[in-house]
Amino acid sequence: MSLIEIKDLAVTIGNKQILKNINLSIEKGSVTAFVGPSGSGKTTLLRTINLLQKPTSGSLSIAGTKVVGGHISRKAIRQVRSHSTMVFQQFNLFKNYTVLQNVVQPLILSGKFSKQEAEDLANEALKKVGLIGFSEQYPATLSGGQQQRVAIARAVAFRPDIILFDEPTSALDPEMVEGVLQVIAVLARENIAMILVTHEMEFAKKIADKVVFIENGEILTQGSADLLLSNNSSHERVKAFVSSLYRGSLESSGL
C-alpha cells in the first residue's frame, strides 16, 4: 500500500477552485517533485497533504489515516500531521533561540520526547546538515543558506515518514542554493518520503523518482524524472516549460 493516496481531491478557496480532480500515489521512501508554472496549485497541493489547507472534496490517505473533504476532525488532522514535517520558503526560526534550541523546542513541545531525547535528536539532525558546530549561535549570525539548513534539521529531527519542501531555495541568494540542495540530496538516501515544490529542474531530475507536472490546478502528467525532464521529453508542454526555465537561467547569468 502506498504511503500517500490522493483520490479525486479538490480545493476551493472562496469562490475560486485551486485544485481539481487530483489523483496521486506516493510510495514510502520515494522522492517526488511537483513542478509547473507559478500559480498552478503546487504549493496548495503540498499544504493539503499536511492539511494546512483542507480539501473541499475527494480523499487523502496518509499512512493509513484517511480523511474526506468537508469531514475532517481535529483528531484526524493530528494523526495526518504526526507523519510529516514541512520546510517552508521562509525559514521561520525563532530569533531569540539558539540554533540548537530552534531544533530542540518543537520536539519537546510535541510531547513525544524527553529533554535529553530531544537534544540527542537535534544534535544528530544538525550533524546531518553540517551545522553541529553552530549550535550556540543565533539565527541572525547565520547566512540564509545556513538558516534554511537549520529549518531542515528541525524537520528531520522528528524522524518523520514524510518531509514536504515548499521551494526551499527560493528565498536564497544564488550562491547559497547549492549547499541547501546538497543537504536535501543526502536526505533523499535515508528512506524518508520527500515531496518538493521546486523550479530547480536539474536538481529534480537528479534526485526525484517521480515528477508531477501541475498546471491550472490539475495534474497534467506524471512520470519518471529522467524521462519527463529530459530534452527528449515526450510531453510537449513539459518540454516547453523546462526549456523556458533553462533560457531564463542563461539570460539571468548573462550568457
Side-chain angles (χ1 to χ4, degrees):
M1 181 180 177
S2 300
L3 180 62
I4 302 173
E5 285 284 352
I6 298 172
K7 294 185 179 180
D8 301 323
L9 184 138
V11 171
T12 298
I13 300 176
N15 294 321
K16 185 175 182 181
Q17 188 168 31
I18 308 299
L19 295 175
K20 48 194 171 185
N21 195 36
I22 299 293
N23 289 277
L24 182 62
S25 178
I26 293 176
E27 302 298 322
K28 181 178 180 180
S30 65
V31 180
T32 303
F34 289 172
V35 304
S38 297
S40 60
K42 303 183 301 294
T43 291
T44 299
L45 179 54
L46 194 77
R47 289 170 60 86
T48 303
I49 290 172
N50 201 33
L51 294 182
L52 289 172
Q53 175 64 54
K54 294 180 183 178
T56 309
S57 61
S59 66
L60 167 70
S61 179
I62 308 289
T65 298
K66 183 177 180 179
V67 297
V68 177
H71 305 278
I72 303 175
S73 67
R74 291 182 180 180
K75 180 181 179 181
I77 291 173
R78 287 195 301 270
Q79 288 176 329
V80 166
R81 291 181 183 168
S82 71
H83 295 286
S84 65
T85 53
M86 193 160 182
V87 178
F88 298 89
Q89 296 179 30
Q90 303 299 326
F91 322 124
N92 297 333
L93 302 180
F94 294 102
K95 296 179 180 179
N96 58 328
Y97 282 3
T98 66
V99 165
L100 182 63
Q101 288 170 331
N102 264 283
V103 183
V104 166
Q105 286 303 115
L107 294 170
I108 293 174
L109 290 174
S110 74
K112 295 180 180 180
F113 309 99
S114 68
K115 186 173 184 296
Q116 187 59 58
E117 287 172 333
E119 289 181 356
D120 290 344
L121 289 169
N123 281 313
E124 180 184 334
L126 288 170
K127 185 176 180 179
K128 285 180 180 178
V129 302
L131 290 178
I132 192 65
F134 294 78
S135 297
E136 298 309 313
Q137 291 188 217
Y138 288 85
T141 69
L142 305 178
S143 70
Q146 288 170 329
Q147 290 185 58
Q148 188 62 294
R149 282 153 61 191
V150 175
I152 293 171
R154 182 175 56 193
V156 169
F158 275 94
R159 293 184 173 174
D161 298 311
I162 308 156
I163 302 180
L164 308 171
F165 293 89
D166 184 13
E167 297 198 44
T169 60
S170 65
L172 302 179
D173 292 332
E175 65 268 22
M176 298 177 185
V177 169
E178 187 60 31
V180 171
L181 294 182
Q182 286 176 357
V183 167
I184 296 172
V186 170
L187 294 176
R189 307 184 199 121
E190 296 204 359
N191 201 36
I192 303 170
M194 295 167 54
I195 305 174
L196 302 93
V197 171
T198 183
H199 284 98
E200 302 282 349
M201 294 298 107
E202 285 299 319
F203 180 68
K205 188 163 67 172
K206 186 184 300 181
I207 75 160
D209 300 297
K210 177 164 68 174
V211 164
V212 178
F213 190 91
I214 301 170
E215 188 167 45
N216 298 323
E218 296 183 280
I219 294 177
L220 189 61
T221 188
Q222 56 183 297
S224 160
D226 282 340
L227 292 176
L228 270 184
L229 300 182
S230 73
N231 292 331
N232 298 317
S233 174
S234 61
H235 200 289
E236 290 301 320
R237 176 65 187 103
V238 178
K239 186 189 293 186
F241 174 76
V242 173
S243 296
S244 70
L245 290 182
Y246 182 68
R247 286 195 302 272
S249 176
L250 288 178
E251 290 168 2
S252 66
S253 64
L255 298 176

